């Protein structure tokens, strides 16, 4: 098999933390008197903490100084951490553990590629802190998706060539990051949104090794890889 490592985004792929990000941002926007909807929240998926705040301030038509923004971002994170501290292994999304186990049984490495600085805490709360062979996250990567850094770093830490990596992503910026890295990308979500991914599935419960092998064959035949 060409695939030697699968790199997973965390939020929206392994766990559904988008709702906790939303709850924390909602609390902040209420304090600021900015109207913030679930639809607005979609724009924040895969986007770093500060860039998310910038989007919210843009929605509210506000301009703040850097120290003010840092304080707000810290406040949001305090609330977010309160929520994720209560997460349990029951919040791992359907099929994620099963697919990861199948990959490991077949000697395919599993890595994580997330923008979140809270990755270690989330993994610990859901009991997955010993699952991944390599972790690239907001703590060891500086350039935000769609920059490919988070995925190239994960590949490097996993000891696998770029061409041997397949990325699983739920955010448009994340799919772009994977493609910018020169990797195969499987989107998690809606095919009409994740148009550029090589394949889109609803969740990891729809994934298995056979599907991965078929995708490799299809892309090979189409001359894409
Ligand atoms: C992920 C999420 C984003 C979040 C970012 C930073 O990419 O999809 O919504 O803003 O991580 O997370 P953090 O936990 O560092 O604030
Ligand atoms: Mg995500």
């Amino acid at each position: 098999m060409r695939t030697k490592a699968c790199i997973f985004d965390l939020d929206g792929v392994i766990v559904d933390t988008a709702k906790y990000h939303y709850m924390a941002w909602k609390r902040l926007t209420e304090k600021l008197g900015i109207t913030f909807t679930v639809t607005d929240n979609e724009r924040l998926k895969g986007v770093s903490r500060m860039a998310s705040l910038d989007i919210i301030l843009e929605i509210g038509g506000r301009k703040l100084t850097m120290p003010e923004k840092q304080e707000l971002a810290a406040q949001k994170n305090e609330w977010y951490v309160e929520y994720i501290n209560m997460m349990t292994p029951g919040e791992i999304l359907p099929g994620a553990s099963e697919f990861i186990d199948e990959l490991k049984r077949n000697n395919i490495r599993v890595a994580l590629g997330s923008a979140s600085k809270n990755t270690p805490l989330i993994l610990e709360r859901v009991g997955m802190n010993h699952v991944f062979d390599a972790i690239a996250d907001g703590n060891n990567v500086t350039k935000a998706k769609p920059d490919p850094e988070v995925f190239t770093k994960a590949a490097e830490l996993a000891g696998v060539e770029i061409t041997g990596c397949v990325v699983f992503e739920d955010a448009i910026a994340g799919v772009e990051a994977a493609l910018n890295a020169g990797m195969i990308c499987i989107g998690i979500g809606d095919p009409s949104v994740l148009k550029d991914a090589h394949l889109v599935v609803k969740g990891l419960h729809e994934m298995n090794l056979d599907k991965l092998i078929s995708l490799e064959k299809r892309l090979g035949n189409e001359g894409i890889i």
Side-chain angles (χ1 to χ4, degrees):
M1 255 189 100
R2 173 190 155 110
T3 304
K4 304 282 181 249
C6 285
I7 308 175
F8 298 89
D9 170 50
L10 179 64
D11 298 298
V13 174
I14 304 285
V15 286
D16 179 19
T17 43
K19 58 175 181 272
Y20 300 124
H21 279 297
Y22 177 66
M23 282 158 69
W25 285 125
K26 185 80 186 158
R27 229 163 127 177
L28 193 79
T29 50
E30 275 166 8
K31 194 173 131 174
L32 295 170
I34 294 173
T35 312
F36 177 64
T37 65
V38 185
T39 315
D40 293 329
N41 194 53
E42 284 300 304
R43 289 178 61 191
L44 310 186
K45 282 189 179 168
V47 177
S48 75
R49 198 179 305 164
M50 210 26 116
S52 300
L53 179 60
D54 283 335
I55 293 173
I56 286 170
L57 293 174
E58 182 206 299
I59 291 169
R62 304 285 177 84
K63 275 215 160 27
L64 297 178
T65 63
M66 199 37 148
E68 285 169 331
K69 288 204 293 186
Q70 270 157 351
E71 201 184 313
L72 292 179
Q75 172 68 85
K76 180 267 173 177
N77 192 55
E78 214 173 280
W79 287 327
Y80 178 64
V81 168
E82 262 176 41
Y83 302 136
I84 57 175
N85 248 321
M86 292 186 291
M87 286 180 81
T88 65
E91 289 179 70
I92 297 172
L93 288 169
S97 297
E98 291 79 358
F99 181 50
I100 287 171
D101 286 347
E102 188 186 19
L103 293 172
K104 287 186 159 196
R105 282 198 304 276
N106 288 278
N107 295 319
I108 294 174
R109 299 202 166 192
V110 291
L112 205 73
S114 166
S116 176
K117 289 189 163 76
N118 291 299
T119 297
L121 175 63
I122 296 168
L123 292 181
E124 200 251 314
R125 296 315 297 161
V126 301
M128 290 185 95
N129 41 349
H130 298 299
V131 168
F132 296 95
D133 298 304
I135 296 177
D137 64 16
N139 301 297
N140 57 0
V141 166
T142 52
K143 296 187 198 120
K145 298 170 187 175
D147 189 284
E149 190 190 13
V150 68
F151 296 130
T152 50
K153 181 86 180 172
E156 181 194 318
L157 293 173
V160 172
E161 300 280 328
I162 299 289
T163 50
C165 295
V166 175
V167 170
F168 292 83
E169 253 296 345
D170 71 315
I172 299 170
V175 170
E176 297 314 318
L179 300 182
N180 287 338
M183 297 175 182
I184 294 176
C185 186
I186 300 184
I188 302 289
D190 183 345
S192 66
V193 176
L194 305 174
K195 291 186 196 78
D196 295 334
H198 294 108
L199 171 76
V200 179
V201 293
K202 288 196 187 73
L204 292 177
H205 58 285
E206 287 189 357
M207 270 317 296
N208 56 47
L209 200 62
D210 286 344
K211 251 191 186 167
L212 203 54
I213 294 169
S214 309
L215 177 65
E216 277 185 9
K217 278 199 192 128
R218 196 196 89 203
L219 296 178
N221 290 340
E222 289 171 13
I224 292 169
I225 57 172

